[in-house]
Amino acid sequence: MNNERIAVIGLGYVGLPLAIALAEQFSEVLGFDIHQGRIQELQAGHDRTEEVEATRLRESSLRYSAQPDDLAGCTMFIVTVPTPVDEHNSPDLTPMIRASETVGRYLKPGDVVVYESTVYPGVTEEICGPVLERVSGLRQYHDFKLGYSPERINPGDKVHTVEKIVKVVAGQDAETLERVAHVYGAVIKAGIHRAPTIKVAEAAKVIENTQRDLNIALMNELALIFDRLGIRTLDVLEAAGTKWNFLGFRPGLVGGHCIGVDPYYLTQKAQEVGYYPQVILAGRRVNDGMGAFVAQKLVKLLIAANIPVKGARVGVLGLTFKENVPDLRNSRVPDIVAELRQFGIEPLIHDPYADSAEAQHEYGLTLTDLPEFRQLDGLMLAVSHRIYLELPRQELTGMLSPQGVLVDVKSALSESDLPGRYWSL
């Protein structure tokens, strides 16, 4: 096992930190990505995701490639590709299937294929395994084995890095389980949890984010209620939080590649086996509606301030799915923009982390420089990036006209520092 030749398929937020860590413990590790541009920037020591610092990239022995033939000779393939949903919120397994087809062309007897992507129970063995069989002509369980080790990366988190998060691992038999555990155990300082089956490991991962989604949905629903009651949600949560067992979740927009997506994988599988989830989907409906709600709240505040809504000059701070990361995947801020447009408002949008070309390609949105945020009728802090929170309060409020209104989606600002028309979720 010490002679394992490892290939990590997909060098995004999940794959790159893992590949770098593995390369520090194993002599032959290949980082593979289908995008040549991604390979070139990594070879130049630049990571656009900002998950791995330039010095560590330059010092790493990790080999990079976008050429599938370089996968030949590898003995363990770790697949870390996205698992999105389509426009109907149905699981889209296309990236996993395509990655499996690529791996299948180079699969040999004795090899192991490990999947890290978040899926519903059964995908690894019932969908990916047959694809590998079809392309390779080999048989799973006999000629090659499957493993599963769900990713737990938290984008932008410099404390809970890949090495410091307990790793769940599973394999099709005891030998494969130990082989997978050995590889991950070489880099995961926090420890290894051996799940009894691949399906158990798949289920464990998908419910991690489902649980968070539901807890945030409860906070969002409470925020909707408290707004009608004229109570600030943050004040309520701070009071309730003085009890030792109160969970510290906050309301907000739920986007990204995990929390806003993974519950749909579980509910899809549940419906296939004859159970129609109610609690999980109810939480999804609440969270998916929050972008429209905060946009409508801004409109109501404009009306209350006697500011004409149609054509109002509104600025939106933040576009990425969470603070202090450049990741635009499944951002819910475009929901806010779409709702404002329904009222005849074309907002200015600023984000210090987002790539302007990607914002235009993914959402058709144009980013605006911060100096243009002047004489605004309305300003919304949609994503609480550090750069916004560190702005002097007079500079922030100086973006507004005298009657302008400020909406703070994450309740990240102090109301006492913001005289005038201020509202927080």
Side-chain angles (χ1 to χ4, degrees):
M1 287 190 289
N2 290 328
N3 296 321
E4 202 83 69
R5 296 186 296 277
I6 305 167
V8 177
I9 316 299
L11 297 177
Y13 286 84
V14 174
L16 179 63
L18 175 63
I20 292 291
L22 288 169
E24 292 169 351
Q25 300 297 327
F26 294 87
S27 59
E28 295 188 55
V29 181
L30 174 71
F32 176 84
D33 198 285
I34 61 174
H35 300 289
Q36 182 63 43
R38 175 65 169 159
I39 296 300
Q40 290 174 342
E41 71 177 28
L42 291 175
Q43 289 174 330
H46 172 65
D47 171 27
R48 73 178 72 170
T49 69
E50 301 183 5
E51 291 298 314
V52 179
E53 57 274 14
T55 301
R56 195 176 181 196
L57 280 178
R58 288 193 298 267
E59 294 176 351
S60 176
S61 64
L62 178 66
R63 293 189 300 120
Y64 301 100
S65 178
Q67 304 302 317
D69 285 349
D70 288 337
L71 296 171
C74 291
T75 59
M76 180 176 288
F77 303 84
I78 300 177
V79 179
T80 64
V81 297
T83 44
V85 293
D86 62 20
E87 64 273 18
H88 305 296
N89 290 324
S90 296
D92 180 5
L93 295 174
T94 302
M96 290 194 72
I97 292 172
R98 294 289 179 264
S100 299
E101 290 172 340
T102 298
V103 170
R105 291 195 287 272
Y106 303 94
L107 205 56
K108 311 178 304 302
D111 290 350
V112 173
V113 184
V114 182
Y115 291 88
E116 287 215 357
S117 308
T118 305
V119 293
Y120 55 78
V123 167
T124 300
E125 294 169 287
E126 298 167 11
I127 294 180
C128 295
V131 172
L132 293 168
E133 288 181 321
R134 171 175 56 80
V135 176
S136 69
L138 303 175
R139 299 172 300 164
Q140 65 168 317
Y141 303 109
H142 301 283
D143 301 317
F144 68 89
K145 302 292 177 61
L146 297 176
Y148 185 77
S149 182
E151 61 89 3
R152 283 175 161 175
I153 291 290
N154 183 26
D157 191 336
K158 303 305 181 184
V159 176
H160 302 97
T161 55
V162 62
E163 299 93 341
K164 298 176 183 177
I165 305 172
V166 173
K167 203 77 166 77
V168 175
V169 298
Q172 286 185 310
D173 56 25
E175 180 183 2
T176 304
L177 175 60
E178 291 309 313
R179 185 172 170 181
V180 173
H182 170 79
V183 168
Y184 282 107
V187 300
I188 306 299
K189 300 175 182 177
I192 301 295
H193 176 87
R194 292 166 172 78
T197 67
I198 287 177
K199 284 186 177 181
V200 166
E202 290 170 324
K205 171 54 182 174
V206 79
I207 71 165
E208 289 176 16
N209 288 328
T210 300
Q211 182 187 67
R212 286 188 57 80
D213 191 45
L214 283 170
N215 276 291
I216 298 170
L218 173 60
M219 296 301 106
N220 279 333
E221 188 162 70
L222 291 174
L224 298 178
I225 296 170
F226 295 148
D227 179 62
R228 295 192 176 202
L229 296 175
I231 304 171
R232 191 182 185 209
T233 304
L234 181 60
D235 293 338
V236 178
L237 295 180
E238 287 179 344
T242 59
K243 189 179 180 185
W244 76 92
N245 60 353
F246 186 82
L247 302 180
F249 288 92
R250 294 287 183 88
L253 305 177
V254 183
H257 64 294
C258 287
I259 298 178
V261 172
D262 296 350
Y264 289 120
Y265 275 76
L266 183 58
T267 56
Q268 166 89 4
K269 188 61 177 180
Q271 292 176 41
E272 288 180 6
V273 295
Y275 180 79
Y276 296 89
Q278 298 182 48
V279 174
I280 297 173
L281 290 177
R284 282 279 74 237
R285 286 191 293 272
V286 170
N287 287 341
D288 280 347
M290 294 308 293
F293 170 73
V294 295
Q296 292 165 13
K297 187 65 183 182
L298 176 58
V299 169
K300 291 177 181 179
L301 291 171
L302 291 175
I303 294 172
N306 294 316
I307 297 174
V309 173
K310 188 174 182 179
R313 186 171 168 80
V314 171
V316 175
L317 297 175
L319 180 58
T320 60
F321 92 90
K322 66 178 290 188
E323 63 275 4
N324 307 318
V325 300
D327 195 348
L328 286 171
R329 288 176 297 173
N330 197 35
S331 170
R332 308 320 301 180
V333 178
D335 297 348
I336 297 172
V337 176
E339 188 68 16
L340 290 174
R341 285 173 172 171
Q342 294 291 317
F343 291 92
I345 298 172
E346 187 61 44
L348 305 175
I349 305 167
H350 176 268
D351 194 297
Y353 292 92
D355 180 79
S356 57
E358 186 180 357
Q360 185 62 235
H361 179 266
E362 293 296 324
Y363 302 111
L365 298 177
T366 301
L367 297 181
T368 302
D369 292 336
L370 205 56
E372 297 298 318
F373 281 55
R374 291 292 179 267
Q375 289 299 307
L376 299 175
D377 299 309
L379 178 64
M380 181 179 295
L381 179 59
V383 185
S384 52
H385 290 312
R386 188 180 302 109
I387 188 174
Y388 299 143
L389 302 184
E390 292 176 349
L391 285 175
R393 291 296 177 259
Q394 61 270 25
E395 184 174 341
L396 194 64
T397 56
M399 299 178 186
L400 290 164
S401 65
Q403 296 301 313
V405 299
L406 174 59
V407 169
D408 179 9
V409 173
K410 290 286 289 184
S411 297
L413 305 173
S414 172
E415 186 175 15
S416 60
D417 294 338
L418 296 163
R421 299 184 183 275
Y422 169 81
W423 179 89
S424 63
L425 182 62

